[in-house]
Amino acid sequence: MTGRVFTKLLLAFVLVLSISAAILDFTLRGIVEHSLRAEAAQSLVGKARLLASEARLGDSAQLHQAADRGAFDAGAQVTFYSRDGAVLASSSPADSLNTIPDEVRAALADPRDARQSERDGMLYVAVAGNGLVVRLAYPLTSIRDTMHVLRRDLLLASLLATGLATLLAAFFAHRAAQRLGRIVTFAGRISAGDFKARIEEGNLDEISEVAHALDSTAARLEASFHAQETKQRELAALLDSMQEGVIAVDAGGRISWSNAVMQRIAPGAVRQGQALVHAVRDPEVLACVQAALENRELRSGKATSVVPARIFEVNAAPTPGGGAVAVLHDVTEIERAEKTRRDFVANVSHELRTPLTSISGYVETLLEDTMELPTHAREFMAIILRNASRMNRLTEDLLALASVESGDYKVKPRPVTAAALMQDAIDSLTGMVLDSDVTLEAGHTTNAVVLADEDALTQVFGNLIENAMKYGKGGKSVVVGAREVEGFVEFSVQDFGPGIGSEHLSRIFERFYRVDKARSRDSGGTGLGLAIAKHIVLAHGGGIRVESELGSGATFLFTLPVVNSSPVVQPAHDAGKAAPATA
């Protein structure tokens, strides 16, 4: 780099000096030659006027003497002409010809001015005066000889000056190349990550200003880099202190970073620069990361094959640089405890069903017996039957919830129109409202096709309608509807009761959660119906939510994905007329 800059600067200096010297030589030679010619012509004119004033017309001897003396003094040929152009006297025999030169003819025509011309290497000057014309012929060889010497001297001086200037230019070019070389070395060290590099240039010129600016930039980069390193170390320490495994990949799916927990989860397999698919073979982890990379969206899942006998909750998110980061949270103990809880609830509920059925049967038999029982005994029997029935419903709901929450729960969806599914649910649940003052009505619907397990969806509708009847009695009606919204069919169950406070909406689908506990106990609810409905809808790939304001009733909505090209299967029950069912 330094050599190239030095060569370019030196060649540029030499070229400029050579051009300047050539221009100076050409200009100076032209000026000197013009000056010599003008000076010679002026001198000849003066001598010609002097000879004309001294010449005596008619004295041939005196004219010949004057011509010889003038030729000696001026170093030129002297010729006297009469007014008719005849040669009167001459210092050169060749001028005795009868031809009249042009300059003599011009002087005879206008005696006031001196006339001159050049031809055949001679400078001619003709002056009229005292009745005759004096012509001087001066050879230009002396001027040419003088110019030859001048050109030689100028060439030698130019070469000497160019040589000295070249040496000086080489010195300055070398210094400039060295300074630029220090800047190049500085840039190379900065690009290699050495932010301590400095140029340390003095205050000389613009290059020094550039060097100072680069030094300031390097200082700021060094400070920023140190701050970034500190933050990165703090972040790495923070991530290493987490209980979750964290792994980051670039846009090409190659591992760019992983914390200590991830290294312990997959020892030796996770290496920077390696493809994630070669380090982690779990399909759920790969699917979540791929979705975050391609769709730039959050994706969650559950991995079971990262480590044998361990279960990880996977959350993958896109990063600004086009990559993605995945967090693996070990939920093995949570899943084990949850499974133990579900098994315990299912076992206890199953074991309670038989004695509760027996209690209910015996109490009903005693109450229906015609023998006389004391009044207080019948009251106690009724209380026993009511609570046994409530406990029986609770065990049934617990068994249902344990089933839908288990990983083995599978729905059996078939394509069916939303209108037929909704009407089938209404027809199946008509008997539920016969003993109440609430009217069950069919609202707006759609013929879009969805994939649904009809029995499971009937249970969802049943739980939502039962909930609306219990807590929306003040409205006297429950409206069931469906509409198509952006690739989904949204089903709704709306009541016109007192509504639900906004503080309860986020927890309404939790198991055993009750908005009004005293009122729920009076109505005989178990607090599990909405939780069961939520898990069934999620198993269908849909979502469920509630919209409500105090005093304006509540609307429970759940969605199912639309199917565009599947044969429609009619539900098991007749989906005929949509007549409202009334008590």
Side-chain angles (χ1 to χ4, degrees):
M1 171 64 186
T2 304
R4 292 198 299 270
V5 172
F6 171 77
T7 303
K8 290 178 181 178
L9 289 175
L10 182 60
L11 289 177
F13 286 145
V14 171
L15 181 62
V16 170
L17 290 172
S18 300
I19 293 174
S20 301
I23 293 175
L24 179 64
D25 180 72
F26 178 78
T27 304
L28 188 60
R29 284 194 292 110
I31 293 173
V32 171
E33 184 174 2
H34 178 75
S35 176
L36 290 176
R37 289 177 181 273
E39 184 179 354
Q42 186 176 2
S43 176
L44 291 176
V45 169
K47 291 179 179 180
R49 291 187 184 279
L50 179 62
L51 289 173
S53 63
E54 293 177 351
R56 292 192 295 272
L57 185 62
D59 189 348
S60 176
Q62 191 271 338
L63 290 176
H64 280 286
Q65 290 178 357
D68 293 337
R69 186 176 63 254
F72 178 79
D73 292 340
Q77 299 177 8
V78 179
T79 305
F80 289 96
Y81 290 89
S82 65
R83 288 189 175 277
D84 55 4
V87 178
L88 300 177
S90 175
S91 62
S92 173
D95 286 338
S96 60
L97 300 176
N98 292 327
T99 58
I100 301 174
D102 294 336
E103 61 275 8
V104 174
R105 188 177 291 107
L108 290 173
D110 187 4
R112 292 173 298 177
D113 294 329
R115 302 296 179 176
Q116 65 183 43
S117 64
E118 290 185 17
R119 61 180 179 274
D120 301 330
M122 302 290 288
L123 175 61
Y124 296 96
V125 174
V127 175
N130 204 13
L132 50 78
V133 176
V134 180
R135 189 191 76 164
L136 273 69
Y138 182 77
L140 295 177
T141 54
S142 60
I143 294 179
R144 284 196 290 270
D145 292 341
T146 302
M147 290 305 303
H148 176 72
V149 174
L150 179 62
R151 279 196 297 271
R152 183 192 62 191
D153 293 343
L154 283 175
L155 179 61
L156 292 176
S158 298
L159 290 176
L160 180 61
T162 302
L164 293 175
T166 300
L167 293 177
L168 189 61
F171 172 74
F172 286 112
H174 181 66
R175 284 200 60 190
Q178 282 184 327
R179 296 170 69 188
L180 292 176
R182 288 198 296 271
I183 294 178
V184 172
T185 303
F186 162 83
R189 292 176 62 185
I190 291 294
S191 64
D194 182 10
F195 296 108
K196 296 183 180 297
R198 297 292 184 272
I199 303 174
E200 297 178 354
E201 181 78 15
N203 296 319
L204 298 176
D205 49 23
E206 288 79 2
I207 295 180
S208 301
E209 294 179 2
V210 172
H212 293 158
L214 290 175
D215 284 343
S216 299
T217 303
R220 287 195 296 270
L221 281 175
E222 183 180 11
S224 299
F225 182 74
H226 286 326
Q228 188 67 25
E229 276 189 331
T230 302
K231 290 181 180 178
Q232 188 172 359
R233 286 194 296 268
E234 291 175 353
L235 179 60
L238 177 63
L239 293 176
D240 285 338
S241 66
M242 294 174 57
Q243 298 300 317
E244 293 82 7
V246 181
I247 186 168
V249 299
D250 58 19
R254 293 177 295 274
I255 298 172
S256 58
W257 188 86
S258 61
N259 69 345
V261 177
M262 193 66 205
Q263 297 288 343
R264 289 196 297 270
I265 291 174
V270 178
R271 294 189 299 272
Q272 188 172 354
Q274 183 184 22
L276 179 65
V277 68
H278 295 154
V280 179
R281 300 303 181 103
D282 186 272
E284 192 65 27
V285 175
L286 298 177
C288 290
V289 172
Q290 194 68 21
L293 288 174
E294 294 181 354
N295 303 329
R296 312 305 295 165
E297 64 182 11
L298 299 174
R299 183 62 65 88
S300 299
K302 191 169 291 185
T304 58
S305 60
V306 176
V307 178
R310 307 298 293 180
I311 302 174
F312 292 90
E313 181 181 339
V314 183
N315 292 284
T319 55
V325 60
V327 179
L328 280 69
H329 177 56
D330 191 345
V331 294
T332 305
E333 297 302 324
I334 298 175
E335 289 290 326
R336 185 179 293 116
E338 186 67 17
K339 185 178 184 303
T340 301
R341 182 195 63 79
R342 287 196 301 267
D343 293 343
F344 174 76
V345 170
N347 291 335
V348 169
S349 301
H350 183 73
E351 292 297 328
L352 287 176
R353 274 205 301 187
T354 300
L356 287 174
T357 302
S358 299
I359 292 171
S360 297
Y362 286 129
V363 172
E364 288 177 356
T365 300
L366 290 174
L367 289 175
E368 293 174 359
D369 196 347
T370 56
M371 69 177 186
E372 291 293 334
L373 289 175
T375 303
H376 63 278
R378 284 188 174 274
E379 292 177 355
F380 291 157
M381 293 284 185
I383 293 173
I384 293 172
L385 179 60
R386 185 168 61 252
N387 283 281
S389 299
R390 182 173 177 275
M391 288 296 294
N392 194 38
R393 288 195 302 273
L394 178 59
T395 57
E396 294 295 336
D397 285 347
L398 285 172
L399 286 171
L401 182 62
S403 174
V404 298
E405 284 185 338
S406 69
D408 298 330
Y409 178 73
K410 302 294 183 182
V411 295
K412 298 177 181 178
R414 297 190 300 170
V416 60
T417 62
L421 182 64
M422 188 186 79
Q423 190 60 47
D424 179 63
I426 292 175
D427 293 343
S428 300
L429 300 170
T430 299
M432 184 184 297
V433 299
L434 293 178
D435 297 331
S436 67
D437 297 331
V438 179
T439 301
L440 182 60
E441 301 177 359
H444 178 76
T445 187
T446 175
N447 287 319
V449 179
V450 297
L451 282 177
D453 186 325
E454 299 162 37
D455 294 334
L457 265 297
T458 299
Q459 185 174 3
V460 173
F461 277 112
N463 290 352
L464 296 180
I465 291 172
E466 182 181 5
N467 185 78
M469 290 171 57
K470 289 177 181 178
Y471 302 106
K473 290 182 178 179
K476 301 300 182 183
S477 66
V478 175
V479 179
V480 181
R483 61 171 183 158
E484 188 172 357
V485 180
E486 296 181 357
F488 289 86
V489 171
E490 185 178 70
F491 297 90
S492 62
V493 177
Q494 182 180 14
D495 67 63
F496 300 92
I500 304 171
S502 58
E503 68 274 15
H504 301 292
L505 297 181
S506 61
R507 301 187 59 193
I508 197 70
F509 294 100
E510 294 179 8
R511 64 173 75 93
F512 299 113
Y513 186 79
R514 301 172 186 269
V515 175
D516 187 343
K517 295 178 176 56
R519 185 176 175 187
S520 297
R521 282 193 297 269
D522 294 339
S523 64
T526 63
L528 298 174
L530 295 181
I532 294 171
K534 169 189 170 183
H535 285 285
I536 293 175
V537 171
L538 293 178
H540 281 78
I544 188 168
R545 72 183 195 282
V546 61
E547 297 176 353
S548 180
E549 292 183 5
L550 286 176
S552 302
T555 303
F556 286 84
L557 306 106
F558 68 91
T559 57
L560 296 179
V562 171
V563 179
N564 295 323
S565 58
S566 296
V568 179
V569 177
Q570 290 296 329
H573 301 286
D574 182 18
K577 297 181 180 179
T582 59

